[in-house]
Structure formats: C-alpha cells, structure tokens
Amino acid sequence: MERNGSGREGDGMPGARRLLALAGGTWVTSGTGASVLPPRQEHIQRQQEIHVVMGNEACDLDSTVSALALAYFLAQTSPAPKAAFIPVLNIPRADFPLRMETAFLLREQGIPAASLIFRDEIDLAGLHRAGLLSLTLVDHNVLPSTDAALEDAVVEVLDHRPLERARGPHCPVTVALVGSCATLVTERMAQGPPGVLDRATATLLHATILLDSINLSPAAGKVTPRDVACVSLLEERFPGLPARDSIFRTLQATKFDVSGLTTEQMLRKDLKVLSSDELVLAISAIYVDLETFLRRPGLLQDLAAFCQAQGYTGLVAMIVPYNESNVLTRQLMVYSQHESFRSAVCRALEEATTPALHLQLTPSPWSCVTAYSQGNALASRKKVLPILRAALAGPGAALGGAEEEVVPPPTPMNSLVEECPLAQAVPPLCPQDVLERVSRIAAGQPPGSPK
C-alpha cells in the first residue's frame, strides 16, 4: 500500500487496473495474497467454484455499486478461497442503457460496460446444480420465487430494508435501516485491511450514498447518522472526491432524464413486480410529473400493451418528478382494465396506516386510471411495496409473495440506444464460459475478443 504525504491512504496500484478488477469481478486469492486469475485453462477444466455477489432486480446504482465493491472486498480479504468472486448485475444486458445514472458513473470511472456480467449472461441455476455456486445478496434479503431454487446457495446477506428472511447459522445477515446499502458496504470495507478501500471504490460508494440519501437531506427522510458518517469518512480518507452538491446534481439530473424514452422503456427503467398464482402487479418508478405523464400521446394504448405483453393484471406507478430545488414530492397512479382489481389496489393504498400515505385524488382522463397526490412524501416505493403485498394477499385478491423477476422484451431502438452494442442479445454463459472470460480479462484481452 502507498500513502501520500499527508499520511492518508493512496491507491496502492494504478487506478485503471483497480477499476477493471473491481468491475470485472475477476479476483481470486491464494495463500500469498490477491491476484487476477492467470490465463491458464486449468481453472476452467477443474470446474472452479464461483461466488456471485448480486443486487436486486431493479439494479439501481446502489445495487450495482454494492455488488461491485463487496465482490472486490471479499476477493481481497477472504483467506485462501477456492472460488472466483463475480459481481452480477441483476438485469438483462439490453436493459443497462436504461440505468442512465449507473452507466454514467461507471463510464466516468473508466469501467467499461463490456467488463460487466449481467443476469442473462450467467446460468446461476446450472452453477448451483453443479455444486459450484455461492451467492451473496446485497440491497435485498429475499430471493424472488423464480429464484427459490437458489436459496440453498445464499451464504451472506447485506441489506438496508426490513428483514424478510429467517436468520440461520450458516448465512450471516447484516440488515440496518440506513439510507443506502452502499453505507453498509463502506462500513465493512473501512474495517478491512489498510489499502483495500481505494480511491476508485471510494468514489463509487461516495456518489451512491449521496444519491440514495438525496444529498444527505434530512427533509427527504432517508438519511441516517451512519450515512453521514460514511460520507465524511470517505472524504477524510480521500481528499479531492467530487463535491457533494456537484456529484449529486449530476447524477440526479442523469437519473431523471427520460427524454427519448418510450412509455414502455419508462415503465421498465425502474420496475418491481409482485405476483400470486393468478395475478401480477407491476410497480414502476416514473421520473416526470403525473400531469406530464398522463398527457403522453397514446398513453392508454401503451399501458394496455405493456400489461398485456408481460401478463400484468395492473400497474402502480410511483411518480417522483425531478425539480432542481430538491423538494421531494410523490404522486401515485393505479392502472388496470379490471375494475375490481384496480379498486382493491386503490383501497389498500388509501386505507394504509403503516405508513399512512395521505392520498388525495387528482383528475384522470380515463376511468381505468386512478391518480393521487401523495401527502406523505417520505413514503418511498420501498415502504409502499409491503402495503400492497400484505393487503392484496387477503381474500379476493390473492396477490402476494416475494418480488418476481420478469424478463422484459428486448430494448427498442431509439435515440439513446440506437446502434448501441449493449442492445444486442447475448447468450447465457455456462460456468466454463464465465471462467474463460475471467481468464481472458486477466490476460489483458478485451472481454469481447475472440477465444
């Protein structure tokens, strides 16, 4: 490890190399310390175990950075593990251009999208059946029912939302209601060996905590003393990190920029799904004000097509409009062609008490769309999801269970992704393919280069 003249920690190795190692998740360790996987075929032939670190299926900036940073930390600090540590982004690669703030921050830090591994590129079920998979969950603590078969592979959980899983002796669980999962990762790394928390990782964690906590604003109701302490710690250890206001405004504006997106892409950009045996409810975050959204040309037809294509019974949209004054406001929209279902969803939201949403009806141009202003702006989607899950699991509305991962259709071509290689379909990777990719990266070959 290197230290600068002030005695604070330096990077210890060239920044670009650390960034690529962090992004590619290509670190394994031996008895002599950490190193990149050497370009030898025996790693593939001996069916080496793989330890995946994965965030939730919304795959926002917090989930992505937490997975990247924790995978890197585990690889650097785990005593002589047999597994290769790989962060996996829990969305199809074609959806990555829609995570604009994430793509922007990684690009700014020199992390190429080609070095990332996405959920549709790795066969987790196949790895698990082969006995080769260990799984660490970040930014969520329950697997969706579609991944229930992977439960036995979960070896650790790190999350900042209420605990929904049973604690067990063989799966350490760290859950704390802080503003950002990146705060918990920062605390973990700060307690690790000197030099593991480097400037590249600190830059990603610092930006993520600021975005998640609305720039540490108490008025937004997300920040906790632990978030503030971690931001201060990172700034103390690494002077020269981007100014708080500057990086927050940049990421916020990038996140809320939906210009050029179709309605279907706006609904997919930040999507969660609840399901039962027969009913499926989509919950999207929308980053324009409700009046503007309702005026979109062809909106009703787009909502119907979106729900029909994915088999959704209905849709709840939480509207979080962007404003430069950072005053947080929220609105809700409930859509369904099934009147009884829509009424049940609306009743659950209107009568909620933990928390109370303080909803006020606002005009809607269609009978199948109910619109509200939400008086309790501190009630985020994370707090609304349990209301829907608990209320709609009752008699007559058998909707409940864990959040489902629903694979969306390919990203349509538009001004944001036209001719973008990320929009191209990529076949799933078997275990050998993953390890071979790791070996090629270690050999200095681009991830997409010929074998």
Side-chain angles (χ1 to χ4, degrees):
M1 178 187 66
E2 297 175 354
R3 292 184 179 269
N4 58 28
S6 64
R8 296 184 176 92
E9 295 175 13
D11 288 340
M13 67 185 298
R17 185 179 167 199
R18 277 201 185 258
L19 284 168
L20 185 56
L22 173 64
T26 61
W27 293 89
V28 292
T29 56
S30 64
T32 58
S35 62
V36 179
L37 274 171
R40 296 197 299 266
Q41 291 301 313
E42 58 261 31
H43 287 281
I44 300 169
Q45 295 169 355
R46 70 189 182 198
Q47 294 282 291
Q48 184 177 11
E49 296 176 12
I50 291 176
H51 187 140
V52 166
V53 182
M54 185 170 70
N56 65 51
E57 71 275 20
C59 198
D60 60 5
L61 183 64
D62 194 23
S63 278
T64 299
V65 168
S66 294
L68 291 172
L70 187 61
Y72 173 64
F73 175 78
L74 291 174
Q76 290 282 60
T77 59
S78 298
K82 296 181 292 183
F85 289 85
I86 298 178
V88 172
L89 277 64
N90 200 3
I91 52 171
R93 179 177 286 273
D95 272 6
F96 187 59
L98 302 181
R99 274 54 175 188
M100 289 174 283
E101 71 279 11
T102 302
F104 170 81
L105 184 62
L106 297 185
R107 185 170 61 247
E108 286 292 297
Q109 293 304 308
I111 299 176
S115 71
L116 304 172
I117 295 177
F118 293 83
R119 181 60 193 270
D120 59 341
E121 298 174 336
I122 182 168
D123 183 6
L124 296 183
L127 286 166
H128 185 41
R129 286 193 298 269
L132 299 174
L133 179 68
S134 297
L135 183 60
T136 290
L137 306 181
V138 293
D139 203 24
H140 64 317
N141 61 75
V142 212
L143 288 168
S145 60
T146 49
D147 285 335
L150 303 179
E151 180 60 40
D152 291 343
V154 178
V155 296
E156 186 176 6
V157 172
L158 199 68
D159 191 20
H160 69 126
R161 65 199 72 222
L163 185 63
E164 298 181 67
R165 66 183 295 121
R167 294 180 183 270
H170 305 297
C171 178
V173 174
T174 301
V175 168
L177 302 183
V178 294
S180 176
C181 189
T183 292
L184 303 179
V185 176
T186 300
E187 291 176 341
R188 178 88 163 267
M189 297 189 75
Q191 296 168 6
V196 174
L197 178 58
D198 62 9
R199 180 173 293 275
T201 315
T203 301
L204 295 174
L205 293 168
H206 179 258
T208 302
I209 297 171
L210 290 174
L211 183 65
D212 260 10
S213 65
I214 319 297
N215 203 17
L216 306 182
S217 168
K222 289 189 172 185
V223 67
T224 70
R226 291 170 69 172
D227 302 301
V228 176
C230 282
V231 168
S232 298
L233 178 150
L234 293 169
E235 292 171 347
E236 166 65 21
R237 289 200 184 185
F238 302 96
L241 288 177
R244 296 179 186 180
D245 289 348
S246 175
I247 189 61
F248 171 74
R249 284 197 302 267
T250 299
L251 289 175
Q252 185 87 328
T254 305
K255 176 180 179 179
F256 282 75
D257 181 11
V258 295
S259 58
L261 294 186
T262 66
T263 298
E264 185 258 356
Q265 288 175 316
M266 292 175 68
L267 295 170
R268 284 200 291 124
K269 175 177 165 63
D270 194 345
L271 172 69
K272 291 182 181 291
V273 180
L274 301 175
S275 71
S276 69
D277 291 339
E278 297 180 355
L279 303 174
V280 185
L281 178 65
I283 305 97
S284 295
I286 301 293
Y287 301 112
V288 296
D289 68 88
L290 182 57
E291 184 180 357
T292 300
F293 186 68
L294 292 177
R295 289 202 310 263
R296 288 180 69 88
L299 177 66
L300 196 60
Q301 292 83 353
D302 289 342
L303 293 175
F306 178 73
C307 289
Q308 183 177 3
Q310 300 302 322
Y312 299 147
T313 315
L315 164 75
V316 173
M318 176 166 278
I319 312 294
V320 190
Y322 172 70
N323 63 80
E324 294 185 355
S325 62
N326 295 333
V327 176
L328 181 64
T329 61
R330 295 185 191 274
Q331 300 160 305
L332 283 172
M333 185 199 80
V334 181
Y335 164 81
S336 180
Q337 295 284 358
H338 306 278
E339 194 277 333
S340 59
F341 180 80
R342 186 179 66 258
S343 296
V345 173
C346 291
R347 186 166 56 251
L349 295 171
E350 292 169 1
E351 297 176 357
T353 58
T354 52
L357 303 180
H358 304 307
L359 300 180
Q360 293 290 329
L361 279 168
T362 62
S364 166
W366 305 289
S367 60
C368 56
V369 173
T370 304
Y372 300 96
S373 61
Q374 181 178 317
N376 181 5
L378 301 185
S380 64
R381 183 176 60 172
K382 183 168 61 177
K383 297 178 181 178
V384 170
L385 280 169
I387 295 172
L388 295 171
R389 184 181 296 116
L392 299 183
L399 180 63
E403 294 168 20
E404 295 278 2
E405 178 191 11
V406 179
V407 178
T411 304
M413 301 293 279
N414 70 4
S415 60
L416 289 181
V417 297
E418 190 170 359
E419 299 180 354
C420 174
L422 297 182
Q424 305 304 315
V426 182
L429 299 179
C430 65
Q432 292 86 350
D433 291 332
V434 172
L435 290 169
E436 186 162 346
R437 171 184 288 194
V438 166
S439 297
R440 293 205 308 275
I441 294 173
Q445 300 173 356
S449 61
K451 299 180 181 179

